[in-house]
Amino acid sequence: KYKARLNIHGGKQEYGVNFYETFSPVVPWIFIRLLFILALIYGWSTRQIDYVLAFPQAPIQFDMYMDIPVGIMLDPSIGTNETHVLQLLKNLYGQKQASRQFYLFLVERLEKIGFQKSKIDDCVFYYEDMIFVVYVDDAIIFMKDESKFDKLFKQLQKEFDVEEKGDVEQFLGLHFSKVEQGNGYNITQTHLIDQIVADVGLKGKNFKCPQTPSPSTIILNRNQNEAPFDPNLFHYRSVVGKLNYLEKSSRPDISYAVHQCARFSHDPKVGHGQAIIHLVKYLHGTRTKGIILRPDDSRSLHCHVDADFCGNWSKLTAMDDASTAKSRTGFVITYANCPVSWSSKLQTQVALSTTEAEYIAMSTALREAVPIMNFLNELQEKLFISKGSRTKLHCKVFEDNSGALEMARNPKMRPRTKHINVLYHWFVSYIKSGSVKAYPVLSENQCADLWTKPLPHKLFLKHRKKVLSW
């Protein structure tokens, strides 16, 4: 399938002359996953719609002109390509503000129909008993009463050029399928995994697939004395970019391994390339796997959080690489026992103790959990989810460090912790109000370990089964 599209050269635009703001929001995957979980719990129907040539549907912001494209010749009676230009009448692709102009146009028309924008996220809208979420020009509608969709779609057709895509099966490269047993969704990205396998040169080859995404005995570091990675083998940054999208969308089990490889995209060595090959082989062996959303409606919002104190430290590279002294934060937030958000990343400052590293990790995780709580509260206010005792919203945080738990429950200023007061004590007010509760968990049951360190095979499978259900 070949496409051709007329674009304007946005690189020639000048700030303050023909563009100002360029930011355009998109709905985060956190809320998309959360809404699918709620759809399973409450029996909502879904519909996917697509905007046909979305950006040109919006009006243009400024009077703008462009050169006549090469290959198009004017009638000599009119003039030549040197004497004439094209005037833009609509919001053409290629502009710096094209996406933003379409978003503003979309909000204006949706509010005209009667949609109300969420106070929590700019890309979530409410209409009667329907929820409308937008990702640029792709949208999903969650609805309690499927019979009302046709009426709404006719209203949308009056304002936009849109197509109905039916029930959600493919969205932004993800495949949604119903599980064979029970009520649930299986979210996979088989096509993207096949692309990555081909990119690194493994397509059609026979190889043994490892059982974990990274060896449990190897911690990646800069390896400055090692030979540089051969760029002829594969495009390192391109593969890392695809792995990042895969990890954030449907494969949280590879978060740690992907982040470790991504850290060295600037100057990769042979060992970093080998780490990617190991990871891709693991993905090939689990190419049909992803996230299984099979909600347990007796469970509420849970957050498992952990930190690996100075886990990257290496005496060989510590003098040249300050990041080896930083600890790693890892967490997973689940709702109804289904993963909603997760992360594996180095902390921005050097922690002075295990307790401090764990406490910083708790603060980081709750920055993700609090907006989820606010969104669920809004859905309660809009009567999309019930206000029964089970959904009296609070977040349970599971932490395996007693010192961090003590600091969270009793934020006394101590000589060893007062320096982190401003940055990391903000969430204590949520604990005092009861909306967040901190609980101890045994280290062997701390599934957030999946995001902080390379685990041995048996422990990796245990935590993967708990979070991903496979």
Side-chain angles (χ1 to χ4, degrees):
K1 183 178 181 180
Y2 296 91
K3 289 184 179 181
R5 177 172 288 164
L6 182 65
N7 285 2
I8 192 172
H9 193 332
K12 294 185 176 182
Q13 290 183 256
E14 296 182 28
Y15 180 79
V17 177
N18 40 44
F19 81 96
Y20 286 105
E21 300 297 330
T22 60
F23 171 75
S24 176
V26 295
V27 64
W29 274 111
I30 297 172
F31 292 159
I32 294 176
R33 282 188 288 264
L34 185 61
L35 286 170
F36 270 103
I37 294 168
L38 293 171
L40 291 169
I41 293 174
Y42 293 99
W44 299 343
S45 299
T46 62
R47 285 290 186 278
Q48 184 175 357
I49 65 173
D50 180 58
Y51 294 86
V52 180
L53 281 176
F55 289 3
Q57 295 188 38
I60 199 166
Q61 186 180 19
F62 296 99
D63 287 337
M64 296 180 66
Y65 304 87
M66 61 182 290
D67 292 331
I68 297 175
V70 176
I72 297 178
M73 303 303 296
L74 291 182
D75 189 314
S77 63
I78 298 175
T80 67
N81 289 25
E82 287 72 30
T83 60
H84 284 69
V85 293
L86 299 179
Q87 180 182 7
L88 270 64
L89 302 179
K90 286 290 185 178
N91 183 46
L92 195 63
Y93 289 93
Q95 296 176 89
K96 291 181 180 293
Q97 72 272 39
S99 179
R100 179 178 178 83
Q101 283 301 108
F102 175 71
Y103 171 76
L104 296 175
F105 169 75
L106 179 70
V107 172
E108 177 188 349
R109 294 298 179 91
L110 289 177
E111 291 179 341
K112 176 183 175 182
I113 295 174
F115 282 84
Q116 292 182 335
K117 188 163 67 170
S118 166
K119 296 179 181 178
I120 308 302
D121 190 88
D122 287 337
C123 292
V124 177
F125 301 84
Y126 303 107
Y127 181 82
E128 296 181 358
D129 56 358
M130 302 182 191
I131 304 174
F132 187 89
V133 297
V134 179
Y135 195 106
V136 189
D137 60 347
D138 291 296
I140 301 176
I141 299 177
F142 298 86
M143 49 199 156
K144 294 181 181 179
D145 188 351
E146 190 174 359
S147 63
K148 296 181 179 181
F149 173 76
D150 290 339
K151 178 182 177 181
L152 172 63
F153 189 68
K154 289 179 180 178
Q155 288 183 287
L156 291 173
Q157 286 181 312
K158 293 178 181 179
E159 303 294 335
F160 310 98
D161 185 3
V162 293
E163 293 179 341
E164 180 194 351
K165 298 294 186 179
D167 198 7
V168 179
E169 293 184 356
Q170 299 281 346
F171 187 70
L172 303 178
L174 277 69
H175 180 69
F176 293 77
S177 59
K178 290 293 183 72
V179 297
E180 295 181 359
Q181 297 179 350
N183 183 32
Y185 278 108
N186 188 19
I187 306 175
T188 57
Q189 289 177 280
T190 305
H191 181 65
L192 179 56
I193 293 176
D194 291 341
Q195 280 187 15
I196 296 172
V197 171
D199 286 350
V200 300
L202 294 178
K203 184 178 180 180
K205 295 184 178 179
N206 294 321
F207 50 83
K208 184 178 180 181
C209 298
Q211 298 298 307
T212 59
S214 59
S216 61
T217 56
I218 298 177
I219 302 292
L220 293 184
N221 54 53
R222 292 197 182 278
N223 297 335
Q224 292 182 339
N225 297 324
E226 195 173 48
F229 170 76
D230 183 1
N232 294 318
L233 296 177
F234 57 85
H235 195 299
Y236 192 96
R237 291 187 185 182
S238 175
V239 171
V240 166
K242 292 181 180 181
L243 288 170
N244 265 324
Y245 184 70
L246 177 67
E247 175 262 321
K248 292 299 181 187
S249 304
S250 66
R251 293 298 298 266
D253 55 317
I254 65 171
S255 293
Y256 173 82
V258 171
H259 187 269
Q260 282 286 77
C261 293
R263 291 180 58 219
F264 307 104
S265 295
H266 173 66
D267 184 24
K269 305 296 183 181
V270 170
H272 305 140
Q274 292 172 348
I276 284 187
I277 293 294
H278 182 102
L279 172 56
V280 174
K281 288 180 178 180
Y282 165 78
L283 287 172
H284 180 74
T286 57
R287 61 185 293 275
T288 60
K289 302 296 185 179
I291 296 177
I292 298 177
L293 301 181
R294 190 183 286 114
D296 177 359
D297 59 2
S298 65
R299 309 286 291 275
S300 186
L301 193 64
H302 288 181
C303 175
H304 285 80
V305 57
D306 192 29
D308 186 24
F309 178 59
C310 291
N312 289 326
W313 188 83
S314 168
K315 64 180 181 180
L316 299 177
T317 61
M319 294 299 295
D320 301 315
D321 184 8
S323 65
T324 63
K326 293 181 179 179
S327 303
R328 177 173 294 273
T329 290
F331 66 83
V332 57
I333 300 172
T334 61
Y335 182 76
N337 210 34
C338 298
V340 174
S341 177
W342 54 84
S343 182
S344 173
K345 57 186 177 183
L346 291 181
Q347 296 177 358
T348 55
Q349 71 179 67
V350 177
L352 303 181
S353 65
T354 303
T355 294
E356 188 175 320
E358 299 276 1
Y359 190 76
I360 291 173
M362 288 178 66
S363 175
T364 303
L366 287 173
R367 291 177 206 174
E368 290 285 325
V370 169
I372 296 173
M373 293 170 61
N374 292 338
F375 185 56
L376 289 169
N377 279 320
E378 184 177 73
L379 291 175
Q380 282 190 345
E381 293 173 2
K382 299 289 185 180
L383 303 180
F384 283 97
I385 60 178
S386 63
K387 292 187 177 182
S389 58
R390 182 187 61 80
T391 54
K392 183 178 179 181
L393 284 170
H394 63 275
C395 178
K396 293 182 178 180
V397 181
F398 295 92
E399 171 61 59
D400 60 1
N401 183 276
S402 58
L405 285 171
E406 178 64 21
M407 286 175 61
R409 293 167 179 165
N410 302 292
K412 178 182 176 182
M413 293 299 101
R414 301 168 175 84
R416 295 186 63 183
T417 59
K418 62 182 179 181
H419 64 285
I420 62 173
N421 177 47
V422 176
L423 278 178
Y424 299 107
H425 282 352
W426 65 271
F427 65 92
V428 173
S429 61
Y430 288 90
I431 293 179
K432 289 183 177 179
S433 69
S435 56
V436 173
K437 296 182 179 179
Y439 296 88
V441 63
L442 295 175
S443 294
E444 58 266 28
N445 295 329
Q446 176 57 282
C447 60
D449 278 349
L450 202 62
W451 286 268
T452 59
K453 57 182 75 72
L455 298 176
H457 178 220
K458 186 176 180 180
L459 190 58
F460 175 82
L461 294 184
K462 174 185 176 181
H463 292 327
R464 189 183 69 182
K465 176 69 174 178
K466 181 177 180 180
V467 178
L468 302 183
S469 300
W470 55 273

